[in-house]
């Protein structure tokens, strides 16, 4: 079994435009068309059983609408698990999170770069605290983002402040704790009480400078492989390439199973 804990899709009517816009801003080429069907096709080709979709709320009043769409996605296909989202400036954040929980959503996605707020801002910490009370998983983009190359809104120092102040149990720092800052992740975050996902941290054909197999294994083991979740960042990484990286790696079979699906099953309570 394989669970991809970090993917993105967009409503069919805006998928083409959104993918084109993001390709230009991030200087990347997408591996799917950005639709749910495109993701399902990729999963079929890659042998992936379930994918977690992570929407990002960039317009504060749109949170409920985006979360309702996520619930519709979940009702239409049992191989897709869409999280919800919220913006730090969303009014009545507690009510929005309760609504997300009532809709059956298992978590939320935060993106400090897209939302233009540092991760250790009190608005995020309040959201994270409320999400914890509701049993919602929180995934946060961490480290570098190609669309915002000069921005540093979720670096290791921000995550450490949040861990100290909120003490969350269901926080996932995407991109192995911080895209392109893995030296700092290994030094300051490894072993901390949070999950890391593997999205966009290794094996991307179109990029250099990501983690080698040896570096990835060392970071995963230093952090603890029972707190690492397989994720690809599809459509920005190829699911087949990323899953084969883990499957063919020098990790033990137990470590591979933990990362590929067992840790996700536990966190998602499946």
């Amino acid at each position: 079994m394989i669970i991809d804990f970090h993917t993105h899709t967009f409503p069919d009517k805006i998928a083409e435009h959104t993918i084109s816009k993001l390709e230009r801003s991030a200087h990347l080429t997408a591996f799917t068309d950005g639709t749910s069907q495109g993701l399902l096709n990729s999963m079929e080709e890659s042998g992936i059983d379930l994918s977690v979709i992570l929407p990002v709320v960039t317009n504060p009043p749109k949170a409920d609408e985006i979360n309702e769409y996520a619930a519709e996605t979940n009702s239409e296909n049992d191989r897709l698990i869409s999280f919800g989202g919220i913006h730090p400036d969303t009014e009545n954040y507690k009510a929005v999170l309760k609504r997300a929980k009532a809709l059956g959503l298992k978590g939320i996605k935060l993106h400090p770069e897209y939302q233009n707020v540092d991760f250790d801002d009190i608005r995020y910490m309040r959201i994270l605290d409320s999400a914890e009370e509701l049993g919602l998983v929180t995934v946060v983009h961490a480290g570098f983002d190609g669309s915002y190359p000069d921005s540093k809104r979720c670096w290791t120092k921000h995550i450490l402040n949040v861990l100290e102040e909120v003490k969350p149990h269901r926080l996932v720092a995407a991109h192995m704790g911080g895209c392109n800052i893995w030296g700092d992740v290994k030094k300051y975050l490894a072993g901390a009480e949070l999950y890391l996902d593997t999205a966009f941290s290794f094996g991307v054909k179109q990029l250099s400078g990501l983690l080698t197999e040896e570096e990835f294994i060392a970071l995963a083991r230093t952090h603890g492989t029972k707190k690492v979740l397989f994720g690809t960042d599809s459509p920005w990484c190829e699911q087949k390439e990323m899953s084969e990286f883990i499957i063919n790696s020098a990790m033990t079979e137990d470590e591979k199973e933990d990362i590929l699906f067992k840790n996700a099953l536990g966190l998602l309570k499946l």
Side-chain angles (χ1 to χ4, degrees), residues 39-182:
L39 175 59
L40 288 166
N41 293 343
S42 173
M43 291 166 62
E44 194 66 31
E45 294 170 1
S46 308
I48 290 175
D49 299 274
L50 299 171
S51 284
V52 176
I53 300 170
L54 303 176
V56 177
V57 177
T58 56
N59 185 356
K62 293 286 188 179
D64 277 330
E65 179 182 329
I66 288 170
N67 293 341
E68 288 167 7
Y69 180 79
E72 290 177 13
T73 298
N74 294 340
S75 68
E76 291 170 356
N77 196 296
D78 59 9
R79 296 183 65 190
L80 302 180
I81 302 173
S82 184
F83 278 21
I86 193 167
H87 192 282
D89 291 327
T90 297
E91 294 183 3
N92 302 317
Y93 69 93
K94 288 187 177 181
V96 171
L97 291 173
K98 287 180 181 178
R99 172 66 174 155
K101 177 72 173 183
L103 287 168
L105 305 185
K106 292 182 176 292
I108 57 170
K109 171 69 183 292
L110 303 175
H111 202 306
E113 308 301 337
Y114 284 19
Q115 296 172 331
N116 201 33
V117 176
D118 288 351
F119 185 50
D120 58 357
D121 186 282
I122 187 62
R123 288 167 289 177
Y124 273 137
M125 289 199 277
R126 288 170 177 164
I127 287 170
L128 188 57
D129 189 55
S130 293
E132 283 285 324
E133 289 182 3
L134 292 166
L136 295 171
V137 178
T138 300
V139 180
V140 61
H141 171 89
F144 176 81
D145 186 284
S147 295
Y148 297 86
D150 298 321
S151 184
K152 297 181 179 180
R153 293 199 174 276
C154 190
W155 246 237
T156 54
K157 66 178 182 179
H158 303 104
I159 295 172
L160 288 170
N161 287 340
V162 168
L163 293 177
E164 176 65 25
E165 293 295 324
V166 182
K167 297 178 174 60
H169 300 291
R170 302 174 185 85
L171 176 62
V172 181
H175 314 296
M176 285 303 287
C179 187
N180 285 6
I181 56 168
W182 295 296

Side-chain angles (χ1 to χ4, degrees), residues 184-244:
D184 283 351
V185 172
K186 190 173 182 181
K187 184 176 181 179
Y188 299 113
L189 278 184
E193 289 304 311
L194 79 163
Y195 292 86
L196 311 181
D197 80 31
T198 70
F200 215 102
S201 61
F202 56 72
V204 185
K205 293 175 182 175
Q206 55 189 312
L207 289 178
S208 60
L210 302 185
L211 292 168
T212 65
E213 179 184 332
E214 182 179 2
E215 290 168 338
F216 168 74
I217 292 174
L219 178 54
R221 287 176 173 168
T222 302
H223 183 63
T225 56
K226 291 192 178 297
K227 295 182 291 183
V228 177
L229 305 159
F230 174 69
T232 66
D233 211 4
S234 175
W236 308 115
C237 296
E238 190 177 46
Q239 288 185 309
K240 183 176 177 62
E241 179 191 9
M242 297 283 281
S243 60
E244 288 180 348

